[in-house]
């Protein structure tokens, strides 16, 4: 079971503060697409239910998505061994989770897989 509470704008204070701290500390890095969303925290409440907290997601979609992702991964000290890869059809992504200023933060770099030339034997 998940503990869901009524949210107010004040519940975003921690995520907003972490966002400002992250961007201030790394103002020279490529600008990500930023979203804030509720994510499952590692903690549980007294009844054992999962607790949702507001987290941040940084997405990279341009032709430089993988380079942008890597610059942020290094700047935030996220270990390469924690990066996950996924794909569906020709679309793929790299994803890594960390925390910044106590707020969960996910980095995702989106890219397109190279497609074989239809004239080549596979």
């Amino acid at each position: 079971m998940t503990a869901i509470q009524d949210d107010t704008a004040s519940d975003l204070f921690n995520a907003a503060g972490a966002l400002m701290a992250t961007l201030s500390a790394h103002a020279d890095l490529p600008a990500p697409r930023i979203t804030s969303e509720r994510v499952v925290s590692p903690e549980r409440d007294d009844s054992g239910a999962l607790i949702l907290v507001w987290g941040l997601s940084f997405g990279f979609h341009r032709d430089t998505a993988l380079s942008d992702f890597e610059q942020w991964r290094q700047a935030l000290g996220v270990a390469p061994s924690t990066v996950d890869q996924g794909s569906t059809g020709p679309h793929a992504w790299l994803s890594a989770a960390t925390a910044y200023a106590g707020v969960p933060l996910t980095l995702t770099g989106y890219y397109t897989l190279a497609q074989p030339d239809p004239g080549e034997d596979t």
Side-chain angles (χ1 to χ4, degrees), residues 77-92:
V78 178
S81 61
T82 65
V83 174
D84 293 321
Q85 180 180 11
S87 66
T88 180
H91 308 288

Side-chain angles (χ1 to χ4, degrees), residues 15-83:
L19 174 61
M20 292 306 298
T22 306
L23 297 179
S24 296
H26 306 289
D28 58 327
L29 292 180
R33 178 187 52 92
I34 301 166
T35 57
S36 182
E37 56 196 352
R38 288 168 48 132
V39 296
V40 176
S41 76
E43 294 87 28
R44 293 179 180 262
D45 69 11
D46 292 339
S47 71
L50 297 172
I51 298 174
L52 297 176
V53 297
W54 285 98
L56 298 169
S57 179
F58 286 11
F60 306 96
H61 296 268
R62 301 181 296 256
D63 291 342
T64 58
L66 294 181
S67 171
D68 296 351
F69 170 89
E70 182 60 15
Q71 289 178 64
W72 275 98
R73 186 199 62 75
Q74 289 180 18
L76 296 176
V78 178
S81 61
T82 65
V83 174

